[in-house]
Amino acid sequence: HDFVRGMDLYSIACEALAKASHRDWYTMRADDSELLSDYQGSLYALHVSRDEWRRAAQAMDLRFVNARKAWALDNKSSSSTDLIMQSSKRTRLILDDLVLASTGGHN
């Protein structure tokens, strides 16, 4: 327990979740090949659990930025049938995050 006392586990968790949040996971979620954790949502929940509302809003802003980047990539994709089907689901996931981020950032 002496080892844990000197560590700020909250800061360590925040840093790990923030690093994992930068991935473009929309494509992976769209093809349903593996279950993925919602690192961005976890980061938001972690901040809220500590009444860190400003940091929670920043986490939602990160979600918005990542969704916006994914949206830009989505508009440049090729037009094969598989990509169109996947892109449609991917686009819905991106739009869901854009709406969620704007709502979460507003609160």
Side-chain angles (χ1 to χ4, degrees):
H1 294 301
D2 290 334
F3 177 70
V4 175
R5 281 187 200 153
M7 298 175 64
D8 182 5
L9 297 178
Y10 172 75
S11 295
I12 292 170
C14 289
E15 184 177 334
L17 289 170
K19 284 181 182 177
S21 295
H22 288 286
R23 297 185 304 169
D24 176 16
W25 55 296
Y26 299 106
T27 301
M28 291 183 275
R29 283 184 58 205
D31 71 8
D32 295 325
S33 64
E34 65 179 280
L35 297 174
L36 296 173
S37 297
D38 183 359
Y39 297 111
Q40 296 170 343
S42 298
L43 183 60
Y44 177 80
L46 182 63
H47 291 315
V48 168
S49 73
R50 288 283 194 92
D51 288 330
E52 294 282 343
W53 294 104
R54 181 176 181 201
R55 293 181 83 185
Q58 290 169 339
M60 281 294 116
D61 188 50
L62 174 64
R63 186 176 209 114
F64 177 80
V65 168
N66 289 339
R68 193 176 62 199
K69 286 179 186 176
W71 179 264
L73 289 174
D74 202 37
N75 290 327
K76 294 179 184 177
S77 66
S78 66
S79 61
S80 75
T81 305
D82 286 341
L83 282 177
I84 290 172
M85 297 282 283
Q86 184 178 357
S87 178
S88 174
K89 186 173 183 180
R90 185 176 188 275
T91 300
R92 285 193 312 270
L93 293 168
I94 293 168
L95 289 174
D96 287 348
D97 270 2
L98 288 170
V99 171
L100 178 64
S102 64
T103 303
H106 177 70
N107 293 325

